[in-house]
Amino acid sequence: MQRNQFLGLTLRTALGAAALAVAASSFAQAYPTKPVRVVIPFPPGGTLDTVGRQLAQKIGEQMGQNFIVENKAGGNGVIGGDVVAKAPADGYTLLFNASTFTTAPMTMKSVPYGVVKDFAPVALVAKAPLSVAINKNLPITDIKSLMAYAKANPGKMTFAVGSIGSAGHLSTELLKRAGQLDYLIVPYKGTAPAFQDLIGGQIDGFIDPILGSLQYHKSGMLRVVAVTSAQRAASLPDVPTVGETIPGYEFYSWYGLWGPAKLPADITQRLNTEVNKALAEMTPKLKEQGLLTTPGSVEDFAKFQRSDMERSQKIVTEGNIRVE
């Protein structure tokens, strides 16, 4: 090939690549051109649903398009997750889920997708400190008295978990080992029936995100004796942390946004930017609900997810947590 021909080919290749880059950038800027479906794989009404709807509305306002929440409950979140895993990677079907998304597959015999293989992390939205809620009729006012009561009644105390492999479940297992306690863990199908039984006295304790227990605590229907965050929660300033009694104890549920694997990088980045922009405005309200917003890059979220999955796998293995 002559030198002039080679230079011409190189120039055309470079121009072609530049044109594709411009086209991709234009596509990302134009996105979304139609409503976006945000799948929440649990029933309406819980903390996950509340936060997801707030975020979807805010992002929709910012991007000038409807972000429509669709609850696809069932299978401990697997049914909704599978919908997104099999959706086109075009940014029009997204998953909003809690940390249960990454931990539930560790406890199940089979799941039709791989968390890392079939999903693209978009943004870490918030961390949710958990509350240790106790039936109000028990003589328990803090973690110290909880430990004393559990040790005085070995094997008799009961703690609910809203779903197998959830942050609340792992936190309950961790407290059991860290405090060397002997209590029975009782699985429920969702947080609402667990709270009903806790208030009614059919169950003794329940560890779940603060937002779920806050109204019941303030109304005196149950008693929150501790929170699982490193610092006391702004929404419950008089309630101590578990770590004040058991040094080093710290646990959170967390919420994130994912797309199907191979979601274009420009779409992923655009969504991440919009989430961070939304969080700047949503922070005061979420803080009142007991949540800590976590703005950051796509890479930050991917790194956090890997680290959290490693820690969760250790708890699941040591606790022999399995869905029957």
Side-chain angles (χ1 to χ4, degrees):
M1 181 181 293
Q2 295 182 358
R3 184 172 182 272
N4 287 343
Q5 290 177 312
F6 175 75
L7 290 174
L9 178 61
T10 302
L11 180 59
R12 285 194 297 273
T13 301
L15 290 173
L20 287 173
V22 170
S25 177
S26 298
F27 178 65
Q29 291 302 314
Y31 166 85
T33 59
K34 60 181 181 180
V36 176
R37 177 170 61 156
V38 181
V39 175
I40 295 181
F42 288 93
T47 305
L48 175 69
D49 185 67
T50 300
V51 177
R53 288 180 182 277
Q54 291 176 28
L55 182 67
Q57 181 179 347
K58 189 60 189 170
I59 294 177
E61 292 171 358
Q62 292 172 184
M63 301 184 78
Q65 189 56 263
N66 289 326
F67 276 64
I68 302 170
V69 170
E70 184 176 325
N71 295 92
K72 285 279 188 182
N76 207 18
V78 171
I79 291 175
D82 194 39
V83 168
V84 179
K86 293 176 179 175
D90 56 8
Y92 290 97
T93 302
L94 304 173
L95 176 71
F96 185 76
N97 208 346
S99 47
T100 307
F101 170 57
T102 63
T103 56
M106 300 174 188
T107 69
M108 305 175 77
K109 290 182 179 179
S110 64
V111 175
Y113 54 75
V115 171
V116 176
K117 175 175 67 74
D118 295 316
F119 293 87
V122 173
L124 179 62
V125 173
K127 289 182 179 179
L130 310 175
S131 60
V132 182
I134 300 295
N135 178 268
K136 66 178 182 179
N137 296 318
L138 293 178
I140 298 171
T141 57
D142 53 24
I143 292 297
K144 186 176 180 180
S145 56
L146 166 60
M147 293 170 67
Y149 183 84
K151 288 178 180 178
N153 298 275
K156 296 181 181 179
M157 195 174 185
T158 53
F159 265 81
V161 295
S163 60
I164 301 296
S166 64
H169 189 177
L170 270 59
S171 182
T172 305
E173 287 282 356
L174 191 60
L175 179 62
K176 188 176 186 180
R177 290 202 296 277
Q180 297 182 332
L181 305 176
D182 179 13
Y183 52 64
L184 181 65
I185 294 177
V186 183
Y188 277 74
K189 293 183 178 179
T191 59
F195 275 119
Q196 289 173 6
D197 278 4
L198 178 63
I199 292 167
Q202 287 78 34
I203 206 87
D204 297 324
F206 185 33
I207 302 179
D208 200 59
I210 289 174
L211 181 58
S213 63
L214 195 57
Q215 59 177 325
Y216 301 123
H217 173 75
K218 289 184 175 180
S219 66
M221 297 174 74
L222 54 73
R223 184 183 300 124
V224 173
V225 301
V227 294
T228 65
S229 46
Q231 286 82 38
R232 295 192 180 195
S235 54
L236 293 168
D238 297 327
V239 176
T241 68
V242 176
E244 289 176 41
T245 302
I246 305 176
Y249 185 100
E250 182 180 357
F251 210 93
Y252 303 88
S253 177
W254 51 268
Y255 307 105
L257 187 68
W258 291 262
K262 299 182 181 178
L263 186 67
D266 47 6
I267 299 279
T268 303
Q269 184 56 56
R270 175 83 192 282
L271 286 167
N272 177 271
T273 298
E274 295 295 340
V275 168
N276 288 332
K277 181 180 176 182
L279 291 179
E281 187 171 327
M282 292 170 62
T283 292
K285 184 174 182 179
L286 292 178
K287 188 175 182 180
E288 291 176 1
Q289 297 171 341
L291 300 170
L292 309 172
T293 51
T294 52
S297 67
V298 176
E299 293 74 21
D300 290 337
F301 183 25
K303 182 179 179 180
F304 172 85
Q305 177 179 296
R306 286 194 299 270
S307 175
D308 190 77
M309 288 178 71
E310 289 175 3
R311 182 193 187 200
S312 296
Q313 184 64 72
K314 186 173 185 294
I315 296 172
V316 168
T317 301
E318 291 179 351
N320 193 29
I321 302 173
R322 293 288 181 271
V323 175
E324 298 299 332

